[in-house]
Amino acid sequence: MNAPASPSSLERAEKLQGMGCKRKRVEDVRFTQGRGNYVDDIKLPGMLHGDFHRSSHAHARILKIDTSKAKAVPGVLAVLTAEDLKGVNLAWMPTLAGDVQMVLADGKVLFQNQEIAFVVATDRYAAADGADMVEVEYEDLPVVVDPFKAMDADAPVLREDIKDKKDGAHGPRKHPNHIFNWQVGDKDLTDAAFFKAEVATKDLLVYQRVHPCPLETCQCLVSFDKIKGEITIYGTFQAPHVIRTVVALISGLPEHKIHVISPDIGGGFGNKVGAYPGYICSAVASIVTGLPVKWVEDRIENLSTTSFARDYHMTTEIAATRDGRVTGLRVHIMADHGAFDACADPSKWPAGFSNIVTGSYDFPVAHLSVDGVYTNKAPGGVAYRCSFRVTEVAYAIERAMDIMAQKLGMDPVEFRMKNFIKREQFPYQSALGWEYDSGDYHTAMQKALDATGYAELREEQKAKQEAFRRGETRQLMGVGVAFFTEIVGAGPSKNCDILGIAMFDSAEIRIHPTGRVLGRMGSKSQGQGHETTWAQIIATEIGIPADDIAIEEGNTDTAPYGLGTYGSRSTPVAGAAIAMAARKIKAKAQMIAAFMLEVHEGDLEWDVDRFRVKGNPEQFKTMSQLAWAAYNKVPPGMEPGLEAVSYYDPPNMTYPFGAYICVMDIDVDTGVHKVRRFYALDDCGTRINPMIIEGQVHGGLTEGYGIAMGQEIFYDADGNVKGASFMDYFLPTAVETPHWETDYTVTPSPHHPIGAKGVGESPNVGSVPCFANAVNDAFKFLGSTHIAMPHDAYRVWQVAENLGLHA
Amino acid sequence: MSKSNVSMKVNGKAVSAEVESRVLLIHYLRENLGVTGPHIGCETTHCGACTVDLDGKSVKSCTIFAVQAEGAEVLTIEGMAAADGKLHVLQEAFREMHGLQCGYCTPGMIVRAHRLLQENPAPTDAEIRMGISGNLCRCTGYQNIVKAIQYAAAKINGVEYKEAAE
Amino acid sequence: MITGAFDYHRPANLSEAIGLLSRLDSDARVIAGGHSLIPMMKLRLAMPSHLVDLAAIAELKGVRAEGDEIVIGAMTTQHEILGSELLAARAPILKEVATQIADPQVRYLGTIGGNVANGDPGNDMPGVMMALDASYVLRGPDGERRVAARDYYEGAYTTAASPGEILTAIRIEAPPAGHGWAYEKLKRKVGDYATAAAAVILTVSGGKIATCAIGLTNVADTALFAKDAAQVVIGTVADKVSLAKASAAAEAITSPAADGRGSAQYRTKMAGVMTARALSRAFARAKS
């Protein structure tokens, strides 16, 4: 029972720097002094370097690999090929999606830049020279880069290794290049709704292939100790425990002799969840040479081979009444997975949580069908700041709602408001199987409209459209709206697992005798600030200042088992575990306090940092005093010490949501755009550190801006990969990046111990359709209904050209 | 010659070595000297994570060979704080304004910001954005980096920091 | 990320540099600021076995006036171009161009000589030099000669310079006081090469364009001197109709590559748009 607030308690609460305050980050102390500890900063005695020779062909048989010249390069100690890996049964490795993937090319190559040989040398310069000297003879095979052609009767068979397998990890396959079909929803009821629909729209909405592109590429340093029979793996791993278990399963080394350490990571964004050939080859090389082996990929390797994101082709249909009520949603997705299905999804979800495609809207019926196919492209895909496929389907539903609004002649906001799930409908059962925990969409939308002066913007737009028609301006104004609901916090054990391990997360909290705290969690920050925010949760829960709480993540020997950080799951799952562990400690401390104060537990009330006797506030014990007492003055029968572990299995996912509005001006003669204004309102439930939330939103909006307005990894008809270097991959600088306005509402999650939902990925989910809707909105009055991303100047100009605006 | 002797000062300390002519300055700093503050984020001279201050110029140390820096004075993030450990105002400012998240771009960003404020002691937000256009960040969206640099500029100039509307 | 191996030379003066180039095999390259060459070497698209570093050669630095001519040492960096009061006063277009080249770090080391010498069709200065009717001073084993920028570019990475010649300086007859100038560059983002760009130098007399020179960037395998486009606006007030004609004339000589910046058709059209916008701004700046 909590005591009422008082001036002294408010002062003490502020000193705690607990939940809700803009606590300055602990991590910054070392990062601003160049004392971060990233993988490539780590040196071990005798360390070797590995580098790949990669395929220049997209689809070819390998006739010959000649490593003799490479081996002759001074400094080169070994060159591994698939033949070498076969000896230790590691030429292929399992993926997180139930497929298998070549570690090194085995008889053929399936995508350009695929790994063929791993050169190990005394330094990275010699390794690079060696990689250049490997010679490969290829026999070209026909290439498949269009996912819609992958299942043609005459399509070349890509995966000869499984060509006779009629069943994949997710059910029957209808073609050698087919991976899975996944369906959810009521097909008959949905088809019926469309059959009798007054108005219907159908559009192919494509979310192009992109890449998470963290500033630090994927890398590892592996050291096998022959004498102890132990392996230590430093790596850029968002989920270090998962990596440890994967290594145990594929190498046969016992899990307690595998030490995985994620040190500081320079951004993850989903790129660093799964295992890559570089990790496996480094491990084998270390075992073979008996020396530590480091592998650091360069940027082109990163953008073209360590997975990819999106490449979802979504045929999206909405059925509605003439007066604007949606009556059905029907979606088919063609999912291009590249050469191997290395998707980093929970195992029962081959298309991630794409069944959140109903979004923020009350669809009475819906049906979703997803077909995954193989093509000659890099394998994957990963969840680029998107919680599993949520970005893709949020784009689809938000574009489709805009298209339907246009067809109905309704304002896109009016159409959305008419179809929002209402506050009183929560918890809401969606037509595709999710129970949304909480939401208040109308309030958030109205707040956004008021903050941006939406009605005035539409008036201004109308005036500018008329001016354009009169030839007085060559600028078009677009107002983009997106109202997203996303699903994060994977996830409940009843439906979420990675390789069979449930997706709980964990916290271990120990209070030392002098009242300082050590917390270790199963999550792994790559910039999200857990060292700062996890301490804030603990500080508020147990009344010890955050500055007296050290947080550790990433060392699998010491951290309790966790499924890592991605999919905005850390606050919903690890954050909950932290609160639960802290409450166990608090409960024990209450018993000690009662014992020391000679009262019953029920006679005590909690006051910020102490238990005090109800009605007798001078009788109190601070948590600090109780910590000391825990080591020498516990009640009879109680163990000494003050620590707790919690493994938290969330009862549900969480559903952050937001209202984003973008005002954009487009120069039709060049296709160049300018973002005049971007307003982002996010509801992530309880807000732990508003400063960090704002930073996460800024970062996610900037990533979304890059995706919508120019990012693309694509392949030409011969399978040559394009856009895979910073010469072309659109990463906005400080000059292009718009100014972001952030705002919020708070609708706590009813099932989460502190009501928090997670926020890291919301801005990427919501911003991409918001920018896309702004561009589309600018051209609507000229008859355009859908313009595909990315909206780079050339493509926007082409739209204007096709509309005859340059005559 | 394919190997050269190279001598320079790094963060005030004289260093010299015999290195292959092709050794990039970033590798000389990180591998030979153990100065791992500057980072590598690309191989096409775009990202700026490797930025150092060389003889008063902001330089991407991945696009200069160590031998070209013969006789130069090189400043990296490790040299920004005072000898007694007192942080440079920019280091404080980045923390104060939440101008970093994963920290990977931060060493290059701070060293560049330092030179930027030497070039232009009271820049506008737009001038700051142009001034850091050679440094990519994937985490922050730059907005708080701009605030951090403004905060530092105000402190250096002895004026009150006012958050400008952009 | 890692270049091939090479021998490094750092001559103290120009004749030593020229001597080295003659002596070493044809696989020797000069290095100026290195921000074109080193990126190519890191991708192993260039693997010279010798690098001759021009950094120590004092006579390649400096910006000075020689009567009506401005002489810019080839090793003058873009940063120094930006800071030059002489250039700001006499050839202000150079500052507008330099601001749009790459980023601050690259500008600290990248040189104007490096930008004009090797025939990279993406570089910004060649088109500008054509508009300014600049000439390049080349020094080689057979002595010194000058080649007009308008005659220097033969194809992508192919120029009138002979093997063993070093471009030592750029000479520009300063445009008259009150001239109009503009560099209009369309690009995907700051630091990118041009999708299309146009440099304009003009003079105005009696309110009408009296002389005009236009250079186009990155819309062919060399920079282009748009003679017809410039001719078409002489005697006009840069009105809409004349600008449209100039655009059309500029478009007519382009043959851009299709790449990440856009289709060939788009880039041709953008050459036209940049030409019109540069003419318009240059006209507005000019004093009659």
Side-chain angles (χ1 to χ4, degrees), chain A residues 25 32 38 40-41 43 124-125 129 212-213 298-300 384 526 695-696 698-699 702 732 734 739-740, chain B residues 22 24 27 30-31 41 43 77 87 91 95-96 98 100-103 129 138-143 166:
Chain A
R25 292 194 346 153
T32 56
Y38 303 90
D40 200 13
D41 298 341
K43 292 182 180 65
R124 64 186 80 206
Y125 281 56
D129 291 341
C213 195
D298 68 26
R299 180 57 62 187
I300 292 172
Y384 170 10
Q526 319 108 41
Q696 288 291 301
H698 288 176
T702 304
H739 178 79
W740 309 116
Chain B
R22 64 173 172 161
L24 297 166
H27 286 140
R30 291 181 53 84
E31 307 299 313
E43 62 273 19
I77 184 72
L87 292 179
Q91 292 172 302
R95 183 167 190 224
E96 189 63 32
H98 190 37
L100 64 148
Q101 292 179 27
C102 82
R129 286 176 179 266
R138 291 292 283 150
C139 294
T140 67
Y142 305 103
Q143 194 153 314
E166 279 206 69

Side-chain angles (χ1 to χ4, degrees), chain B residues 146-166:
Chain B
V146 174
K147 283 165 85 168
I149 297 173
Q150 286 294 19
Y151 181 89
K155 271 210 144 174
I156 292 170
N157 298 329
V159 299
E160 193 197 325
Y161 167 67
K162 270 198 209 72
E163 196 176 315
E166 279 206 69

Side-chain angles (χ1 to χ4, degrees), chain C residues 138-237:
Chain C
L138 303 172
R139 186 102 65 91
D142 299 329
E144 184 173 290
R145 62 193 182 106
R146 294 183 192 182
V147 178
R150 292 175 189 174
D151 300 327
Y152 182 76
Y153 300 97
E154 292 170 358
Y157 301 98
T158 322
T159 69
S162 309
E165 275 187 314
I166 296 175
L167 193 153
T168 61
I170 299 169
R171 301 188 74 96
I172 303 169
E173 194 182 311
H179 72 279
W181 51 273
Y183 188 62
E184 195 75 25
K185 179 177 178 180
L186 181 65
K187 52 196 184 291
R188 290 176 297 180
K189 69 179 213 188
V190 157
D192 197 12
Y193 290 103
T195 299
V200 168
I201 299 284
L202 56 75
T203 58
V204 169
S205 176
K208 300 209 170 85
I209 297 175
T211 65
C212 182
I214 303 174
L216 302 177
T217 297
N218 211 19
V219 285
D221 62 356
T222 67
L224 297 173
F225 181 55
K227 206 163 172 187
D228 294 341
Q231 190 59 39
V232 126
V233 296
I234 306 286
T236 77
V237 298

Side-chain angles (χ1 to χ4, degrees), chain A residues 659-676:
Chain A
Y660 291 178
I661 297 183
C662 173
V663 184
M664 194 184 280
D665 298 299
I666 296 176
D667 175 344
V668 302
D669 292 318
T670 56
V672 171
H673 72 277
K674 185 100 182 90
V675 174
R676 207 200 298 173

Side-chain angles (χ1 to χ4, degrees), chain A residues 68 333 486 566 572 584 615:
Chain A
S68 55
I333 299 176
E486 66 149 347
Y566 44 84
K584 290 185 195 178

Side-chain angles (χ1 to χ4, degrees), chain A residues 476-721:
Chain A
L476 297 180
M477 174 181 166
V479 181
V481 176
F483 196 104
F484 67 92
T485 295
E486 66 149 347
I487 173 173
V488 301
S493 58
K494 66 177 186 276
N495 52 17
C496 290
D497 70 90
I498 299 253
L499 293 180
I501 302 173
M503 293 185 73
F504 56 85
D505 226 283
S506 59
E508 179 189 299
I509 304 174
R510 175 176 305 139
I511 309 192
H512 301 320
T514 53
R516 306 303 211 267
V517 182
L518 176 60
R520 290 170 165 157
M521 288 81 201
S523 47
K524 176 60 209 161
S525 181
Q526 319 108 41
Q528 295 90 332
H530 294 169
E531 287 169 51
T532 304
T533 55
W534 289 170
Q536 288 180 257
I537 297 178
I538 298 171
T540 296
E541 290 285 333
I542 65 172
I544 285 182
D547 284 349
D548 289 343
I549 303 172
I551 301 294
E552 290 179 3
E553 288 178 325
N555 185 327
T556 57
D557 284 341
T558 52
Y561 203 102
L563 277 290
T565 293
Y566 44 84
S568 291
R569 65 185 300 275
S570 299
T571 292
V573 196
I578 291 165
M580 302 306 278
R583 289 170 194 181
K584 290 185 195 178
I585 286 171
K586 194 170 169 185
K588 181 169 183 177
Q590 186 165 4
M591 290 195 273
I592 298 172
F595 175 68
M596 291 172 80
L597 294 168
E598 297 175 333
V599 295
H600 288 131
E601 280 170 58
D603 295 330
L604 292 173
E605 57 188 8
W606 175 254
D607 175 30
V608 178
D609 60 353
R610 60 195 60 180
F611 285 105
R612 66 184 195 194
V613 179
K614 288 181 198 168
N616 208 356
E618 308 81 54
Q619 292 293 303
F620 66 84
K621 289 291 173 197
T622 66
M623 185 58 77
S624 205
Q625 292 169 317
L626 294 167
W628 182 261
Y631 287 86
N632 68 80
K633 213 192 298 278
V634 295
M638 178 189 277
E639 287 180 16
L642 195 53
E643 63 187 67
V645 176
S646 170
Y647 285 80
Y648 185 79
D649 181 2
N652 192 2
M653 315 285 291
T654 60
Y655 300 80
F657 58 92
Y660 291 178
I661 297 183
C662 173
V663 184
M664 194 184 280
D665 298 299
I666 296 176
D667 175 344
V668 302
D669 292 318
T670 56
V672 171
H673 72 277
K674 185 100 182 90
V675 174
R676 207 200 298 173
R677 191 166 183 193
F678 197 100
Y679 168 92
L681 182 153
D682 280 280
D683 192 315
C684 60
T686 303
R687 293 157 61 84
I688 301 168
N689 183 326
M691 178 189 82
I692 287 186
I693 290 172
E694 185 193 68
Q696 288 291 301
V697 174
H698 288 176
L701 295 177
T702 304
E703 288 189 333
Y705 175 69
I707 291 170
M709 306 311 290
Q711 270 174 20
E712 197 181 13
I713 303 283
F714 65 100
Y715 291 77
D716 69 16
D718 297 320
N720 294 306
V721 63

